[in-house]
Amino acid sequence: MTTLAAGGTSRKAKVRVGPLVERILGLAVLALGIVWVAANLIDDPSRFAASGLTGLKNGALYALIALGYTMVYGIIELINFAHGDLFMLATIVSANVMVNIFGVNNLGVATLLPLLITLAVAMAFGAFINVSAEFLAYRRLRSAPKLAPLMTAVGLSFVFRGIAQQDYINGSAPKNWPIVWGGPQYGGVYIYQLLLVFGVTVPLLLIMTWIVGYTKRGKAMRAVAQDQDGARLMGINVNGTISFTFALGGALAGAAGLLFFLVQSQTFYDTGTQLGLIAFTAAVLGGIGNLVGAVVGGLMIGIIQAINEGGSFGLGQAWSQTVIFIILIIFMVFKPEGIFGRRTTEKV
């Protein structure tokens, strides 16, 4: 029994059994996870390394999408469920620009200029659609109960999916595009794919971090996130700041859309639902509202998913989403604020 002594008196410290049991269970779950990863590494290092590369590639894409979720939530506490389907629309725009307009099939140094132009188009498209959604729908619901903008986001998600399902846009079936990759491979992973994903993702993440942390606009974003009325009294354009945040999130979704299309060579109206949910899980896992947390959460989920699908002791692709959401549930039970989030008592 722990005792405390002060001023010549002593008293028994209360031991809170509940939190102690939760901590022990949490550490036990963490230890099981570490043992699982270590067992996969020891049994077949080459297979583990290939799964790790796949996980890093997918995790970087999840991180780009998750940043859009977390930035918007950080400013106006809205879970923008339409964000994943905006990413899906960006994959279709990217495919049409790359293949139908520029005629790119084989990726190489000669296609660098079309690639950069398509990236700019995809990011501009994502930013425009997101800002338009904020202006036309979310802005008018800021003072409404939180369920109203939440359901509006769900409605927009179905609108985006319906647009993509039109035959002259993409259709209801998955559409495969003639994108051919070359160059060295490791464990079935194209090294140039990995370099492209990180060559786009890392600079964008650094730019986002710089904007939010070191620019005047970033300071305005943080001020609006803390207190919109106070920020307005200080002369900050709250509407402009929120629109700017939506533009950044949409631009990241556009970049992720291009990268996903180039890696998978496929567009499908349901892509945004699946990847959007995984990216949202990554944002929650890392601590929604936290930029670093979104990146760490995305990479963690990407690696865990890849090891589960390709590792020696994985459950296989059919169980990937089950594994991911079990991890989310466990985290919500033991650490509801996420890895880097702050504990609050406010209801979402």
Side-chain angles (χ1 to χ4, degrees), residues 29 52 60 64 95 98 158 161 173 244 253 263 283 285 296 300 304 312:
V29 172
L64 274 181
M98 282 289 285
F158 281 100
R161 287 162 59 90
F244 181 72
V263 170
L285 184 64
V296 172
M300 280 184 62
I304 291 171
S312 302

Side-chain angles (χ1 to χ4, degrees), residues 203-275:
L204 286 178
L205 297 181
L206 292 176
I207 290 172
M208 290 301 126
T209 303
W210 174 72
I211 290 175
V212 174
Y214 302 99
T215 66
K216 187 176 180 181
R217 181 68 81 172
K219 291 178 181 176
M221 291 168 65
R222 284 180 279 146
V224 171
Q226 290 182 3
D227 186 347
Q228 290 189 20
D229 292 332
R232 192 175 286 108
L233 289 173
M234 295 299 292
I236 294 173
N237 183 347
V238 172
N239 287 335
T241 302
I242 293 175
S243 294
F244 181 72
T245 305
F246 271 82
L248 290 180
L252 290 173
L258 170 63
L259 294 177
F260 179 84
F261 156 68
L262 292 176
V263 170
Q264 300 295 329
S265 305
Q266 186 184 83
T267 52
F268 184 39
Y269 81 94
D270 201 35
T271 300
T273 303
Q274 298 175 14
L275 268 74

Side-chain angles (χ1 to χ4, degrees), residues 1-4 11-17:
M1 181 71 68
T2 303
T3 58
L4 296 175
R11 60 181 179 178
K12 295 180 180 178
K14 293 182 179 178
V15 178
R16 300 175 63 190
V17 177

Side-chain angles (χ1 to χ4, degrees), residues 70 186 198 296 325:
T70 211
Y186 183 84
F198 275 88
V296 172
F325 285 100

Side-chain angles (χ1 to χ4, degrees), residues 3 14 72 92 97 110 124 149 153 159 180-182 192 216 229 249 263 265 283 300 309-310 316 324 330:
T3 58
K14 293 182 179 178
V72 169
I92 298 173
V97 173
V159 170
V180 178
W181 283 89
Y192 290 159
K216 187 176 180 181
D229 292 332
V263 170
S265 305
M300 280 184 62
E309 294 178 0
I324 290 171
I330 291 173

Side-chain angles (χ1 to χ4, degrees), residues 10-287:
S10 63
R11 60 181 179 178
K12 295 180 180 178
K14 293 182 179 178
V15 178
R16 300 175 63 190
V17 177
L20 180 61
V21 172
E22 285 184 4
R23 181 171 297 181
I24 292 173
L25 288 175
L27 291 174
V29 172
L30 181 62
L32 283 175
I34 293 173
V35 169
W36 177 67
V37 172
N40 280 282
L41 171 62
I42 294 170
D43 185 72
D44 193 339
S46 298
R47 193 172 173 180
F48 180 85
S51 298
L53 291 178
T54 302
L56 287 174
K57 180 182 68 178
N58 294 337
L61 290 174
Y62 298 154
L64 274 181
I65 307 172
L67 278 171
Y69 280 110
T70 211
M71 290 179 75
V72 169
Y73 183 85
I75 293 293
I76 59 174
E77 296 188 354
L78 166 68
I79 301 174
N80 185 12
F81 280 116
H83 189 73
D85 293 291
L86 173 62
F87 150 77
M88 174 272 298
L89 287 179
T91 65
I92 298 173
V93 170
S94 301
N96 281 281
V97 173
M98 282 289 285
V99 178
N100 291 337
I101 296 180
F102 290 117
V104 174
N105 294 323
N106 293 290
L107 292 171
V109 177
T111 60
L112 183 59
L113 182 59
L115 178 65
L116 292 175
I117 294 175
T118 306
L119 177 63
V121 170
M123 293 179 71
F125 169 79
F128 173 75
I129 296 296
N130 225 21
V131 170
S132 299
E134 188 277 328
F135 179 76
L136 295 173
Y138 300 136
R139 182 175 297 186
R140 288 157 175 75
L141 298 173
R142 276 185 210 155
S143 58
K146 289 187 176 180
L147 277 178
L150 188 67
M151 294 312 298
T152 302
V154 174
L156 276 176
S157 170
F158 281 100
V159 170
F160 292 162
R161 287 162 59 90
I163 292 173
Q165 283 182 279
Q166 301 306 309
D167 290 336
Y168 53 89
I169 301 293
N170 189 77
S172 298
K175 189 173 182 178
N176 295 311
W177 298 79
I179 294 294
V180 178
W181 283 89
Q185 297 184 47
Y186 183 84
V189 178
Y190 286 101
I191 300 302
Y192 290 159
Q193 277 188 358
L194 194 64
L195 292 176
L196 174 65
V197 170
F198 275 88
V200 174
T201 302
V202 172
L204 286 178
L205 297 181
L206 292 176
I207 290 172
M208 290 301 126
T209 303
W210 174 72
I211 290 175
V212 174
Y214 302 99
T215 66
K216 187 176 180 181
R217 181 68 81 172
K219 291 178 181 176
M221 291 168 65
R222 284 180 279 146
V224 171
Q226 290 182 3
D227 186 347
Q228 290 189 20
D229 292 332
R232 192 175 286 108
L233 289 173
M234 295 299 292
I236 294 173
N237 183 347
V238 172
N239 287 335
T241 302
I242 293 175
S243 294
F244 181 72
T245 305
F246 271 82
L248 290 180
L252 290 173
L258 170 63
L259 294 177
F260 179 84
F261 156 68
L262 292 176
V263 170
Q264 300 295 329
S265 305
Q266 186 184 83
T267 52
F268 184 39
Y269 81 94
D270 201 35
T271 300
T273 303
Q274 298 175 14
L275 268 74
L277 278 176
I278 293 175
F280 177 66
T281 304
V284 174
L285 184 64

